[in-house]
Amino acid sequence: MKFYDCKSAPSPRRVRIFIAEKGLEIPTAQVDLRNGEHLTERFRELNPWCTVPVLELDDGTTLSEAVAVCRYLEEAHPEPPLMGVDARDRAVVAMWEHRFEIDGFLAVTEAFRNQARGLAGRALTGADGVAQIPELVERGRGRVERFFAALDAQLAHHPFVAGERYTIADITAQVAVDFAGWIKMSLPDECRHAADWYRRVSARPSAAA
Amino acid sequence: MKFYDCKSAPSPRRVRIFIAEKGLEIPTAQVDLRNGEHLTERFRELNPWCTVPVLELDDGTTLSEAVAVCRYLEEAHPEPPLMGVDARDRAVVAMWEHRFEIDGFLAVTEAFRNQARGLAGRALTGADGVAQIPELVERGRGRVERFFAALDAQLAHHPFVAGERYTIADITAQVAVDFAGWIKMSLPDECRHAADWYRRVSARPSAAA
């Protein structure tokens, strides 16, 4: 098994934290996103979408998409469970993870990629050049504000994003909150439930991943 | 169990097809999206994101997000398996489903919602008004073109999207192809592998769902 990572990037961090919570050690290769290694022919054979994380299995299967990589690790290493403990719980976790990926992680991505000077012509991930749309910066920031509010509303009633246990939904939301720092946004003072949760998840050893 | 649907809408169709493939009968309520029933206080108690599909379980749990609803149904009714048959396969299915949700389904959604006159001020789903950005229509259409090409490339080597078996990844891609008709796009002639696959999945009884 081999994990293709980029230590500075938020998307593979979702998997790094997941790996740390599972207590796994996986041989890891760093992909140099800054110098376009993910756009090379060699990397595209591994992942035509030109993104990290990628997990290469011993049979040669390559898995991309953070949630799919985590799905594999969860099934191969069930303890501790990070994607739910029964049919209902697994669906609830999947719901929150998916919603906060879109409303949180992808919202920050939208604002960041349409703004960063170094990403001109690369507003979407992938091999094809896509022009930035400046209006998406404000729209993305508005989405992040609503994500913060929704996160706070959920955490007003539950210790963790998907309920009683720490799960992959916490990881996605935590990485989205940290990633929001890249566009100079942070949890507002009034989101005190989310702030308390953020302190707790950030105090876990996995947060260093 | 109760399924909240809107017969004319593509997003709950992903779950309708899944239910049909499982051979399940679930009591269903139609939500009148056209007249804004999904934005009412009553529906927001069910799903604060104001979207269908929603599956309400007998214990009162409400599941939204198509992939989470399907996750529950898969675990509660494992046969036939539509989300993979072992750890590796389940991860591969999750990867393709997730990728084609974003590159296909959400790309069509982006072009459609930023263009449709009836959705002015509602460019994103949810309770908050979001202005349309006309440039996203062209960008969304470009994404759909690339989705068609990626779908064809994958189906050149595999009978189904995630490999040897029909899965939820086929459902997501099939619904995205049909939804593209709403923005007057269809599989181009050169995508003959995807066209052959599309004929096969559309001939399944579930396609009527």
Side-chain angles (χ1 to χ4, degrees), chain A residues 124-148:
Chain A
L124 295 173
T125 57
D128 300 286
V130 174
Q132 292 173 327
I133 298 178
E135 284 168 280
L136 283 177
V137 179
E138 273 318 296
R139 184 161 115 175
R141 295 180 72 90
R143 290 172 66 192
V144 175
E145 281 172 17
R146 294 192 290 279
F147 158 63
F148 287 154

Side-chain angles (χ1 to χ4, degrees), chain A residues 14 48-49 51 57 59 61-69 71-72 75-76 86-88 90-92 94-96 98-103 106 110 114 123-125 128-136 139 143 146 150, chain B residues 14 48-49 51 57 59 61-69 71-72 75-76 86-88 90-92 94-96 98-103 106 110 114 123-125 128-136 139 143 146 150:
Chain A
R14 294 163 65 186
W49 296 304
T51 53
L57 307 186
D59 71 355
T61 301
T62 50
L63 300 172
S64 62
E65 307 301 293
V67 73
V69 173
R71 168 73 48 201
Y72 178 79
E75 303 223 0
D86 59 29
R88 176 197 159 283
R90 279 190 279 272
V92 169
M95 173 178 74
W96 286 103
H98 187 264
R99 181 44 69 173
F100 283 160
E101 176 183 59
I102 291 182
D103 289 357
L106 293 184
E110 178 168 277
N114 283 282
L124 295 173
T125 57
D128 300 286
V130 174
Q132 292 173 327
I133 298 178
E135 284 168 280
L136 283 177
R139 184 161 115 175
R143 290 172 66 192
R146 294 192 290 279
Chain B
R14 294 163 63 188
W49 296 304
T51 53
L57 307 186
D59 71 357
T61 301
T62 49
L63 300 171
S64 62
E65 307 302 292
V67 73
V69 173
R71 167 73 48 200
Y72 178 80
E75 302 223 1
D86 58 29
R88 177 196 158 283
R90 280 190 279 271
V92 169
M95 172 177 75
W96 286 103
H98 188 264
R99 182 43 69 173
F100 283 161
E101 176 183 59
I102 291 182
D103 289 356
L106 293 183
E110 178 167 279
N114 283 283
L124 295 174
T125 57
D128 301 285
V130 174
Q132 292 173 327
I133 298 178
E135 284 168 280
L136 284 177
R139 186 161 112 175
R143 290 172 64 191
R146 294 192 290 278

